[in-house]
Amino acid sequence: MRLLILGGTWFLGRTLVEQALERGHEVTTFTRGRSGTDVAGTIPVRGDRSSADDLAALAARGPWDAVIDTSGMTPQLVETSTKALSDATDRYVFVSTVNVYQGWPTNPLDDDSPVRPYSPQGPPGESGADEYGREKAGCEKAVTDTFGDRSVLLRPAVIVGPHEYVGRFPWWLRRIAAGGRVLAPGTPDWPIQPIDVRDVAAFALAAAEQHFSGSYNLAAPIGSATFGELLEACRQVTGSGAVLKWVDHEFLIEQQVGEWTELPLWRPYAGTWRVDAARARGDGLTSRPLADTVADTWAWLNDGGPLIHHERAAELGITPEREAAILAAWDARRR
């Protein structure tokens, strides 16, 4: 196949490129060339998605069997891209997010859960997460308005693994490696379901190769892993003597611990880790064991993994002083 990947130098985009080349596909990437590095073997094209001239020049390089869009963040840019490429590709695979669902992250989700309505302006007081979900819903509409049943919408939950640019798994690995008493959120048996970036990439390529259509949630099976297994895997691969101190969700809320930020992957809502991906699993989605993802991420970090560059990375992680203070308060409460 001839594939065009919008993105292709960081995390999911990079993993897609690597797997596509391994499968023998011809891969063109379209990036601004400002960050990341091109994967050897690709046909890199430089350009800006906001430029009609750049998109027209890109389209002239087609046709492609499929476009996989990993970098579409605003409806306006996605609409411009889909229209420019509508005659240059047979299928458009768009990487969206579970944030498009109205119930995320408070309610359990399945493939038929209601999606947020899109409007150019959000309601007063809209949170950053809600804005992100609303914008991604608008992106999905732009894709389906142009490509109809030739479009595939992928809605991953939490993606982790080598080349992770946000830094959630890397933060936990480094914190566990540092040793000492570690603030562990909730209980060891708290179910989680992050999905490995390589499993997302494999499904995205299958969607292009096999002409899938429609929307798919992407997540590991519900109940397939726990937070305790995650932190124990971090301890095993780092060889750390860290001591895990499990602290109730309610106490962490009382202490105003920043969910998803101060303690990465901690979000104490019923729906955070209850994303049903039955439709994708029925079409071949597989999920590798969480311990494998942890081990491979640690190996990548120790093999010169690049610095985390995502704009949210600076928000991640609790300071040692605050962690110690919360653990001391927890200890005092339990006496």
Side-chain angles (χ1 to χ4, degrees):
M1 293 180 64
R2 299 190 75 221
L3 293 176
L4 170 62
I5 297 179
L6 304 182
T9 59
W10 286 102
F11 200 30
L12 176 58
R14 184 178 191 86
T15 307
L16 275 165
V17 169
E18 292 172 346
Q19 290 191 8
L21 292 172
E22 289 172 359
R23 295 184 188 210
H25 299 316
E26 179 186 293
V27 181
T28 299
T29 59
F30 183 65
T31 69
R32 292 178 297 176
R34 297 179 183 175
S35 63
T37 56
D38 298 312
V39 177
T42 61
I43 303 170
V45 178
R46 300 288 182 245
D48 193 322
R49 292 183 65 160
S50 64
S51 167
D53 290 341
D54 287 357
L55 287 172
L58 175 65
R61 290 173 171 266
W64 294 278
D65 296 294
V67 171
I68 303 179
D69 185 351
T70 69
S71 61
M73 300 300 292
T74 68
Q76 295 78 13
L77 285 183
V78 173
E79 180 179 18
T80 302
S81 302
T82 55
K83 288 182 176 179
L85 297 170
S86 60
D87 294 328
T89 185
D90 178 62
R91 193 155 303 272
Y92 200 100
V93 181
F94 180 70
V95 180
S96 185
T97 169
V98 291
N99 287 54
V100 299
Y101 288 116
Q102 293 181 27
W104 171 259
T106 55
N107 300 327
L109 301 172
D110 60 31
D111 290 295
D112 297 315
S113 295
V115 173
R116 300 173 188 267
Y118 173 68
S119 62
Q121 296 296 325
E126 181 181 54
S127 70
D130 287 341
E131 179 184 14
Y132 174 62
R134 176 176 55 80
E135 289 283 285
K136 278 290 198 174
C139 293
E140 289 190 358
K141 183 177 185 301
V143 172
T144 55
D145 281 351
T146 301
F147 279 88
D149 61 6
R150 295 188 298 134
S151 63
V152 184
L153 306 176
L154 304 182
R155 296 169 178 164
V158 179
I159 306 176
V160 293
H163 298 285
E164 183 191 339
Y165 60 12
V166 177
R168 298 184 182 106
F169 262 31
W171 186 87
W172 277 112
L173 280 160
R174 288 170 174 144
R175 174 62 194 93
I176 295 292
R181 297 207 319 159
V182 175
L183 173 55
T187 60
D189 60 354
W190 180 32
I192 60 174
Q193 54 173 163
I195 186 167
D196 191 290
V197 64
R198 294 162 293 185
D199 298 328
V200 174
F203 188 83
L205 289 172
E209 294 164 345
Q210 300 175 37
H211 295 180
F212 291 175
S213 181
S215 63
Y216 293 88
N217 293 340
L218 301 181
I222 295 172
S224 60
T226 66
F227 218 98
E229 290 170 344
L230 165 62
L231 298 192
E232 183 58 34
C234 290
R235 189 162 58 176
Q236 290 292 324
V237 300
T238 61
S240 172
V243 178
L244 304 179
K245 295 297 181 180
W246 294 94
V247 177
D248 289 349
H249 296 300
E250 293 76 11
F251 187 78
L252 295 175
I253 294 170
E254 290 174 10
Q255 298 295 311
Q256 298 183 330
V257 174
E259 63 183 49
W260 221 241
T261 53
E262 282 193 292
L263 291 178
L265 302 177
W266 176 67
R267 183 171 273 160
Y269 302 120
T272 303
W273 299 112
R274 289 196 63 83
V275 178
D276 188 333
R279 185 177 297 159
R281 214 158 302 284
D283 279 343
L285 174 67
T286 60
S287 301
R288 69 196 65 206
L290 180 64
D292 291 355
T293 303
V294 172
D296 292 345
T297 303
W298 182 242
W300 163 69
L301 288 171
N302 284 289
D303 192 34
L307 295 175
I308 306 303
H309 81 288
H310 195 277
E311 62 270 16
R312 295 198 302 271
E315 304 172 359
L316 287 183
I318 193 167
T319 66
E321 297 78 14
R322 181 153 159 75
E323 180 183 34
I326 291 172
L327 286 174
W330 176 248
D331 292 340
R333 178 170 174 163
R334 291 171 59 85
R335 289 194 185 106

Short mmCIF file of all heavy atoms in Angstrom, two decimals, residues 228-275:
data_model
loop_
_atom_site.label_atom_id
_atom_site.label_comp_id
_atom_site.label_asym_id
_atom_site.label_seq_id
_atom_site.Cartn_x
_atom_site.Cartn_y
_atom_site.Cartn_z
N GLY A 228 -1.89 -1.58 41.01
CA GLY A 228 -0.87 -2.29 41.76
C GLY A 228 0.07 -3.05 40.85
O GLY A 228 1.29 -3.06 41.06
N GLU A 229 -0.46 -3.70 39.82
CA GLU A 229 0.37 -4.42 38.87
C GLU A 229 1.27 -3.46 38.10
O GLU A 229 2.44 -3.78 37.80
CB GLU A 229 -0.51 -5.22 37.92
CG GLU A 229 -1.19 -6.40 38.58
CD GLU A 229 -2.24 -7.05 37.71
OE1 GLU A 229 -2.67 -6.43 36.71
OE2 GLU A 229 -2.64 -8.19 38.03
N LEU A 230 0.74 -2.27 37.77
CA LEU A 230 1.56 -1.27 37.09
C LEU A 230 2.76 -0.87 37.94
O LEU A 230 3.91 -0.91 37.47
CB LEU A 230 0.71 -0.03 36.77
CG LEU A 230 1.49 1.23 36.38
CD1 LEU A 230 2.29 1.00 35.10
CD2 LEU A 230 0.55 2.42 36.23
N LEU A 231 2.52 -0.49 39.19
CA LEU A 231 3.63 -0.03 40.03
C LEU A 231 4.58 -1.16 40.40
O LEU A 231 5.79 -0.95 40.52
CB LEU A 231 3.08 0.66 41.28
CG LEU A 231 2.23 1.92 41.02
CD1 LEU A 231 2.00 2.69 42.32
CD2 LEU A 231 2.88 2.83 39.98
N GLU A 232 4.06 -2.36 40.57
CA GLU A 232 4.93 -3.50 40.85
C GLU A 232 5.81 -3.79 39.63
O GLU A 232 7.00 -4.12 39.78
CB GLU A 232 4.11 -4.72 41.22
CG GLU A 232 4.94 -5.94 41.60
CD GLU A 232 5.87 -5.67 42.79
OE1 GLU A 232 5.50 -4.89 43.69
OE2 GLU A 232 6.99 -6.24 42.80
N ALA A 233 5.25 -3.67 38.43
CA ALA A 233 6.05 -3.87 37.22
C ALA A 233 7.15 -2.81 37.13
O ALA A 233 8.29 -3.12 36.74
CB ALA A 233 5.17 -3.82 35.99
N CYS A 234 6.82 -1.57 37.51
CA CYS A 234 7.84 -0.52 37.54
C CYS A 234 8.95 -0.87 38.52
O CYS A 234 10.14 -0.67 38.24
CB CYS A 234 7.21 0.81 37.93
SG CYS A 234 6.12 1.54 36.68
N ARG A 235 8.58 -1.40 39.66
CA ARG A 235 9.56 -1.76 40.67
C ARG A 235 10.45 -2.92 40.18
O ARG A 235 11.66 -2.93 40.40
CB ARG A 235 8.87 -2.12 41.99
CG ARG A 235 9.82 -2.30 43.14
CD ARG A 235 9.13 -2.24 44.48
NE ARG A 235 8.07 -3.23 44.62
CZ ARG A 235 7.38 -3.42 45.74
NH1 ARG A 235 7.64 -2.65 46.80
NH2 ARG A 235 6.45 -4.35 45.82
N GLN A 236 9.84 -3.87 39.51
CA GLN A 236 10.59 -5.03 39.03
C GLN A 236 11.61 -4.63 37.97
O GLN A 236 12.78 -5.03 38.04
CB GLN A 236 9.62 -6.07 38.46
CG GLN A 236 8.76 -6.77 39.50
CD GLN A 236 9.58 -7.66 40.42
OE1 GLN A 236 10.55 -8.29 39.99
NE2 GLN A 236 9.20 -7.72 41.68
N VAL A 237 11.18 -3.84 36.97
CA VAL A 237 12.10 -3.54 35.86
C VAL A 237 13.19 -2.57 36.28
O VAL A 237 14.30 -2.59 35.72
CB VAL A 237 11.34 -3.00 34.63
CG1 VAL A 237 10.33 -4.00 34.12
CG2 VAL A 237 10.71 -1.65 34.88
N THR A 238 12.91 -1.72 37.26
CA THR A 238 13.93 -0.76 37.71
C THR A 238 14.84 -1.34 38.79
O THR A 238 15.87 -0.74 39.12
CB THR A 238 13.28 0.53 38.24
OG1 THR A 238 12.45 0.21 39.37
CG2 THR A 238 12.45 1.21 37.16
N GLY A 239 14.45 -2.49 39.36
CA GLY A 239 15.21 -3.07 40.44
C GLY A 239 15.18 -2.23 41.70
O GLY A 239 16.10 -2.28 42.53
N SER A 240 14.10 -1.50 41.89
CA SER A 240 14.01 -0.56 43.00
C SER A 240 13.54 -1.24 44.28
O SER A 240 12.79 -2.21 44.26
CB SER A 240 13.03 0.56 42.63
OG SER A 240 12.76 1.39 43.73
N GLY A 241 13.98 -0.66 45.39
CA GLY A 241 13.48 -1.09 46.69
C GLY A 241 12.40 -0.18 47.22
O GLY A 241 12.14 -0.15 48.43
N ALA A 242 11.74 0.56 46.32
CA ALA A 242 10.69 1.50 46.72
C ALA A 242 9.60 0.78 47.51
O ALA A 242 9.27 -0.38 47.25
CB ALA A 242 10.08 2.16 45.49
N VAL A 243 9.04 1.50 48.48
CA VAL A 243 7.96 0.98 49.30
C VAL A 243 6.68 1.72 48.92
O VAL A 243 6.60 2.94 49.05
CB VAL A 243 8.25 1.18 50.81
CG1 VAL A 243 7.07 0.69 51.64
CG2 VAL A 243 9.53 0.45 51.19
N LEU A 244 5.68 0.99 48.44
CA LEU A 244 4.43 1.60 47.99
C LEU A 244 3.52 1.84 49.18
O LEU A 244 3.22 0.92 49.94
CB LEU A 244 3.74 0.70 46.97
CG LEU A 244 4.57 0.31 45.73
CD1 LEU A 244 3.77 -0.61 44.83
CD2 LEU A 244 5.04 1.55 44.98
N LYS A 245 3.06 3.06 49.33
CA LYS A 245 2.11 3.43 50.37
C LYS A 245 0.80 3.83 49.72
O LYS A 245 0.69 4.90 49.14
CB LYS A 245 2.68 4.59 51.21
CG LYS A 245 3.93 4.23 52.01
CD LYS A 245 3.61 3.14 53.04
CE LYS A 245 4.83 2.78 53.87
NZ LYS A 245 4.54 1.74 54.87
N TRP A 246 -0.19 2.94 49.84
CA TRP A 246 -1.47 3.15 49.17
C TRP A 246 -2.34 4.08 50.00
O TRP A 246 -2.58 3.85 51.18
CB TRP A 246 -2.16 1.82 48.93
CG TRP A 246 -1.39 0.98 47.96
CD1 TRP A 246 -0.45 0.04 48.25
CD2 TRP A 246 -1.43 1.07 46.54
NE1 TRP A 246 0.08 -0.49 47.11
CE2 TRP A 246 -0.50 0.13 46.03
CE3 TRP A 246 -2.18 1.83 45.64
CZ2 TRP A 246 -0.30 -0.06 44.67
CZ3 TRP A 246 -1.98 1.65 44.28
CH2 TRP A 246 -1.05 0.71 43.80
N VAL A 247 -2.84 5.12 49.34
CA VAL A 247 -3.63 6.16 50.00
C VAL A 247 -5.00 6.25 49.32
O VAL A 247 -5.09 6.33 48.09
CB VAL A 247 -2.90 7.52 49.92
CG1 VAL A 247 -3.74 8.62 50.55
CG2 VAL A 247 -1.54 7.43 50.60
N ASP A 248 -6.05 6.26 50.13
CA ASP A 248 -7.42 6.26 49.61
C ASP A 248 -7.68 7.42 48.65
O ASP A 248 -7.17 8.53 48.84
CB ASP A 248 -8.42 6.38 50.76
CG ASP A 248 -8.50 5.11 51.60
OD1 ASP A 248 -7.94 4.09 51.17
OD2 ASP A 248 -9.10 5.17 52.69
N HIS A 249 -8.51 7.15 47.64
CA HIS A 249 -8.91 8.20 46.71
C HIS A 249 -9.48 9.41 47.46
O HIS A 249 -9.15 10.56 47.14
CB HIS A 249 -9.98 7.66 45.75
CG HIS A 249 -9.52 6.57 44.85
ND1 HIS A 249 -8.48 6.71 43.95
CD2 HIS A 249 -9.98 5.30 44.69
CE1 HIS A 249 -8.32 5.58 43.28
NE2 HIS A 249 -9.22 4.71 43.71
N GLU A 250 -10.36 9.13 48.43
CA GLU A 250 -11.05 10.22 49.13
C GLU A 250 -10.06 11.13 49.84
O GLU A 250 -10.21 12.36 49.86
CB GLU A 250 -12.06 9.65 50.12
CG GLU A 250 -13.24 8.92 49.48
CD GLU A 250 -12.88 7.52 48.98
OE1 GLU A 250 -11.76 7.03 49.30
OE2 GLU A 250 -13.69 6.94 48.23
N PHE A 251 -9.02 10.54 50.43
CA PHE A 251 -8.02 11.35 51.13
C PHE A 251 -7.23 12.20 50.14
O PHE A 251 -6.93 13.37 50.41
CB PHE A 251 -7.08 10.45 51.92
CG PHE A 251 -6.12 11.22 52.79
CD1 PHE A 251 -6.54 11.75 54.00
CD2 PHE A 251 -4.81 11.41 52.40
CE1 PHE A 251 -5.66 12.46 54.81
CE2 PHE A 251 -3.91 12.12 53.19
CZ PHE A 251 -4.35 12.65 54.40
N LEU A 252 -6.90 11.65 49.01
CA LEU A 252 -6.17 12.41 47.99
C LEU A 252 -7.02 13.57 47.48
O LEU A 252 -6.49 14.67 47.23
CB LEU A 252 -5.77 11.50 46.83
CG LEU A 252 -4.77 10.39 47.17
CD1 LEU A 252 -4.55 9.49 45.97
CD2 LEU A 252 -3.45 10.98 47.66
N ILE A 253 -8.32 13.35 47.35
CA ILE A 253 -9.21 14.43 46.95
C ILE A 253 -9.23 15.51 48.02
O ILE A 253 -9.18 16.72 47.71
CB ILE A 253 -10.63 13.88 46.68
CG1 ILE A 253 -10.62 12.95 45.46
CG2 ILE A 253 -11.62 15.03 46.46
CD1 ILE A 253 -11.90 12.19 45.26
N GLU A 254 -9.31 15.11 49.29
CA GLU A 254 -9.28 16.08 50.39
C GLU A 254 -8.00 16.91 50.36
O GLU A 254 -8.02 18.11 50.67
CB GLU A 254 -9.37 15.35 51.74
CG GLU A 254 -10.72 14.73 52.04
CD GLU A 254 -10.68 13.91 53.32
OE1 GLU A 254 -9.65 14.00 54.05
OE2 GLU A 254 -11.65 13.18 53.60
N GLN A 255 -6.90 16.29 49.98
CA GLN A 255 -5.61 16.97 49.93
C GLN A 255 -5.43 17.77 48.63
O GLN A 255 -4.38 18.37 48.42
CB GLN A 255 -4.47 15.95 50.06
CG GLN A 255 -4.47 15.20 51.37
CD GLN A 255 -4.21 16.10 52.55
OE1 GLN A 255 -3.27 16.89 52.55
NE2 GLN A 255 -5.05 16.00 53.59
N GLN A 256 -6.47 17.76 47.80
CA GLN A 256 -6.47 18.51 46.54
C GLN A 256 -5.30 18.12 45.64
O GLN A 256 -4.67 18.97 44.99
CB GLN A 256 -6.47 20.02 46.81
CG GLN A 256 -7.69 20.50 47.57
CD GLN A 256 -7.71 22.00 47.78
OE1 GLN A 256 -6.67 22.66 47.88
NE2 GLN A 256 -8.91 22.56 47.86
N VAL A 257 -5.03 16.83 45.59
CA VAL A 257 -4.01 16.33 44.68
C VAL A 257 -4.51 16.47 43.25
O VAL A 257 -5.65 16.13 42.94
CB VAL A 257 -3.69 14.85 45.00
CG1 VAL A 257 -2.72 14.27 43.97
CG2 VAL A 257 -3.10 14.74 46.40
N GLY A 258 -3.66 16.97 42.39
CA GLY A 258 -4.07 17.20 40.99
C GLY A 258 -4.23 15.90 40.25
O GLY A 258 -3.26 15.18 40.03
N GLU A 259 -5.48 15.60 39.89
CA GLU A 259 -5.75 14.36 39.16
C GLU A 259 -5.10 14.43 37.78
O GLU A 259 -5.08 15.46 37.12
CB GLU A 259 -7.25 14.11 39.04
CG GLU A 259 -7.98 15.19 38.26
CD GLU A 259 -9.48 14.95 38.23
OE1 GLU A 259 -10.07 14.71 39.29
OE2 GLU A 259 -10.06 15.06 37.13
N TRP A 260 -4.52 13.29 37.37
CA TRP A 260 -3.91 13.12 36.05
C TRP A 260 -2.57 13.86 35.92
O TRP A 260 -1.84 13.63 34.99
CB TRP A 260 -4.85 13.59 34.95
CG TRP A 260 -4.88 12.71 33.74
CD1 TRP A 260 -4.53 13.07 32.46
CD2 TRP A 260 -5.31 11.35 33.66
NE1 TRP A 260 -4.72 12.01 31.60
CE2 TRP A 260 -5.21 10.95 32.31
CE3 TRP A 260 -5.77 10.43 34.60
CZ2 TRP A 260 -5.55 9.67 31.89
CZ3 TRP A 260 -6.12 9.17 34.19
CH2 TRP A 260 -6.01 8.80 32.84
N THR A 261 -2.29 14.80 36.87
CA THR A 261 -1.08 15.59 36.74
C THR A 261 -0.10 15.29 37.88
O THR A 261 0.95 14.70 37.65
CB THR A 261 -1.41 17.09 36.72
OG1 THR A 261 -2.23 17.43 37.86
CG2 THR A 261 -2.15 17.45 35.44
N GLU A 262 -0.45 15.68 39.12
CA GLU A 262 0.46 15.40 40.23
C GLU A 262 0.72 13.90 40.37
O GLU A 262 1.84 13.48 40.66
CB GLU A 262 -0.08 15.97 41.54
CG GLU A 262 0.11 17.47 41.68
CD GLU A 262 -0.14 17.93 43.09
OE1 GLU A 262 -1.31 17.88 43.53
OE2 GLU A 262 0.82 18.34 43.76
N LEU A 263 -0.33 13.11 40.21
CA LEU A 263 -0.17 11.66 40.17
C LEU A 263 -0.64 11.17 38.80
O LEU A 263 -1.84 10.94 38.59
CB LEU A 263 -0.97 10.99 41.29
CG LEU A 263 -0.46 11.25 42.71
CD1 LEU A 263 -1.38 10.58 43.73
CD2 LEU A 263 0.98 10.76 42.89
N PRO A 264 0.25 11.06 37.84
CA PRO A 264 -0.15 10.66 36.49
C PRO A 264 -0.97 9.38 36.48
O PRO A 264 -0.70 8.44 37.23
CB PRO A 264 1.20 10.47 35.78
CG PRO A 264 2.13 11.39 36.50
CD PRO A 264 1.70 11.32 37.94
N LEU A 265 -2.01 9.38 35.66
CA LEU A 265 -2.93 8.26 35.47
C LEU A 265 -3.93 8.12 36.62
O LEU A 265 -4.78 7.22 36.58
CB LEU A 265 -2.19 6.93 35.27
CG LEU A 265 -1.22 6.89 34.10
CD1 LEU A 265 -0.50 5.54 34.07
CD2 LEU A 265 -1.93 7.13 32.78
N TRP A 266 -3.87 8.99 37.62
CA TRP A 266 -4.85 8.94 38.70
C TRP A 266 -5.99 9.89 38.39
O TRP A 266 -5.80 11.10 38.31
CB TRP A 266 -4.23 9.33 40.04
CG TRP A 266 -5.25 9.38 41.15
CD1 TRP A 266 -5.95 8.32 41.68
CD2 TRP A 266 -5.73 10.54 41.85
NE1 TRP A 266 -6.81 8.75 42.65
CE2 TRP A 266 -6.70 10.11 42.78
CE3 TRP A 266 -5.42 11.91 41.76
CZ2 TRP A 266 -7.37 10.99 43.62
CZ3 TRP A 266 -6.09 12.79 42.60
CH2 TRP A 266 -7.05 12.33 43.53
N ARG A 267 -7.16 9.32 38.18
CA ARG A 267 -8.39 10.09 37.97
C ARG A 267 -9.52 9.27 38.58
O ARG A 267 -9.95 8.28 38.00
CB ARG A 267 -8.62 10.37 36.49
CG ARG A 267 -9.83 11.22 36.20
CD ARG A 267 -9.87 11.62 34.73
NE ARG A 267 -9.11 12.82 34.46
CZ ARG A 267 -8.65 13.18 33.26
NH1 ARG A 267 -8.84 12.37 32.22
NH2 ARG A 267 -8.00 14.30 33.10
N PRO A 268 -10.01 9.64 39.76
CA PRO A 268 -10.88 8.75 40.54
C PRO A 268 -12.36 8.80 40.15
O PRO A 268 -13.23 9.06 40.96
CB PRO A 268 -10.69 9.28 41.97
CG PRO A 268 -10.46 10.75 41.78
CD PRO A 268 -9.67 10.87 40.50
N TYR A 269 -12.63 8.54 38.87
CA TYR A 269 -14.01 8.51 38.40
C TYR A 269 -14.36 7.11 37.91
O TYR A 269 -13.48 6.37 37.44
CB TYR A 269 -14.24 9.51 37.27
CG TYR A 269 -13.91 10.94 37.63
CD1 TYR A 269 -12.96 11.65 36.92
CD2 TYR A 269 -14.56 11.59 38.68
CE1 TYR A 269 -12.65 12.96 37.24
CE2 TYR A 269 -14.27 12.90 39.01
CZ TYR A 269 -13.32 13.58 38.28
OH TYR A 269 -13.01 14.88 38.61
N ALA A 270 -15.63 6.79 37.98
CA ALA A 270 -16.06 5.44 37.61
C ALA A 270 -15.77 5.11 36.15
O ALA A 270 -15.55 3.94 35.81
CB ALA A 270 -17.55 5.29 37.89
N GLY A 271 -15.77 6.12 35.29
CA GLY A 271 -15.62 5.84 33.87
C GLY A 271 -14.20 5.91 33.34
O GLY A 271 -13.96 5.55 32.18
N THR A 272 -13.26 6.36 34.15
CA THR A 272 -11.90 6.56 33.66
C THR A 272 -11.33 5.29 33.04
O THR A 272 -10.71 5.32 31.97
CB THR A 272 -10.97 7.04 34.79
OG1 THR A 272 -11.50 8.24 35.36
CG2 THR A 272 -9.57 7.30 34.26
N TRP A 273 -11.53 4.18 33.72
CA TRP A 273 -10.96 2.92 33.27
C TRP A 273 -12.05 1.90 32.96
O TRP A 273 -11.90 0.71 33.25
CB TRP A 273 -9.99 2.37 34.31
CG TRP A 273 -8.83 3.27 34.61
CD1 TRP A 273 -8.60 3.93 35.78
CD2 TRP A 273 -7.75 3.61 33.75
NE1 TRP A 273 -7.43 4.66 35.69
CE2 TRP A 273 -6.89 4.48 34.45
CE3 TRP A 273 -7.42 3.26 32.43
CZ2 TRP A 273 -5.73 5.01 33.89
CZ3 TRP A 273 -6.25 3.79 31.87
CH2 TRP A 273 -5.43 4.65 32.60
N ARG A 274 -13.14 2.37 32.36
CA ARG A 274 -14.21 1.46 31.93
C ARG A 274 -14.64 1.83 30.52
O ARG A 274 -15.77 2.25 30.26
CB ARG A 274 -15.39 1.47 32.89
CG ARG A 274 -15.08 0.79 34.23
CD ARG A 274 -16.35 0.46 35.00
NE ARG A 274 -17.20 -0.49 34.29
CZ ARG A 274 -17.04 -1.81 34.33
NH1 ARG A 274 -16.04 -2.34 35.01
NH2 ARG A 274 -17.87 -2.59 33.68
N VAL A 275 -13.71 1.69 29.60
CA VAL A 275 -13.95 1.96 28.18
C VAL A 275 -14.05 0.62 27.45
O VAL A 275 -13.05 -0.09 27.32
CB VAL A 275 -12.84 2.84 27.57
CG1 VAL A 275 -13.10 3.07 26.09
CG2 VAL A 275 -12.73 4.16 28.32
#
